[in-house]
Amino acid sequence: MPIIKNKSTITILYMGTLGVARNPLLILKEFNEYLKKNNRLRIVFKFASQDNPFEFINKKKLECLEIEWLGYLSKDNLEKEKKISDA
């Protein structure tokens, strides 16, 4: 089980395709609501996908979350991102 080293920032990496059946909006809304009440925590969602997550979400409505689209990553770059992510 991974240990979160930096308790004030959590980095979550999503690797894979996005689409109607894999829409990240619901889970992102839940994390955003949590952060509204726990503003000392910072959560960064990174999407390693050729699909643009901003086609599914409105970043302005998720004002408490940080969202990064990394695009398609090579196997080596994906391994690097996995090592620096918490989940």
Side-chain angles (χ1 to χ4, degrees), residues 1-12 31 41-43 83-87:
M1 175 178 267
I3 297 172
I4 297 174
K5 296 173 186 142
N6 182 349
K7 302 290 186 206
S8 62
T9 301
I10 298 172
T11 302
I12 300 171
F31 276 105
L41 180 63
R42 177 177 165 236
I43 298 178
K83 286 180 182 176
I84 61 173
S85 296
D86 299 302

Side-chain angles (χ1 to χ4, degrees), residues 2-3 5 15 19-21 23 25 28 34 39 43-46 50 53 55 57 65 70 81 85-87:
I3 297 172
K5 296 173 186 142
M15 304 168 286
V20 175
N23 186 335
L25 183 57
L28 294 177
Y34 180 81
N39 59 4
I43 298 178
V44 180
F45 270 89
K46 294 183 177 183
Q50 65 185 6
E55 291 179 6
I57 59 175
L65 288 173
L70 305 174
E81 285 295 330
S85 296
D86 299 302

Side-chain angles (χ1 to χ4, degrees), residues 30-86:
E30 291 297 323
F31 276 105
N32 193 65
E33 289 301 314
Y34 180 81
L35 289 176
K36 286 180 182 178
K37 298 173 188 159
N38 299 283
N39 59 4
R40 290 188 213 160
L41 180 63
R42 177 177 165 236
I43 298 178
V44 180
F45 270 89
K46 294 183 177 183
F47 289 89
S49 175
Q50 65 185 6
D51 304 307
N52 183 349
F54 299 110
E55 291 179 6
F56 302 93
I57 59 175
N58 181 341
K59 194 172 180 181
K60 290 179 184 176
K61 290 186 178 180
L62 302 170
E63 69 278 357
C64 298
L65 288 173
E66 292 180 45
I67 300 170
E68 294 180 33
W69 179 31
L70 305 174
Y72 176 82
L73 296 180
S74 68
K75 190 173 185 178
D76 290 339
N77 287 336
L78 193 57
E79 284 301 318
K80 289 175 188 174
E81 285 295 330
K82 286 167 60 174
K83 286 180 182 176
I84 61 173
S85 296
D86 299 302

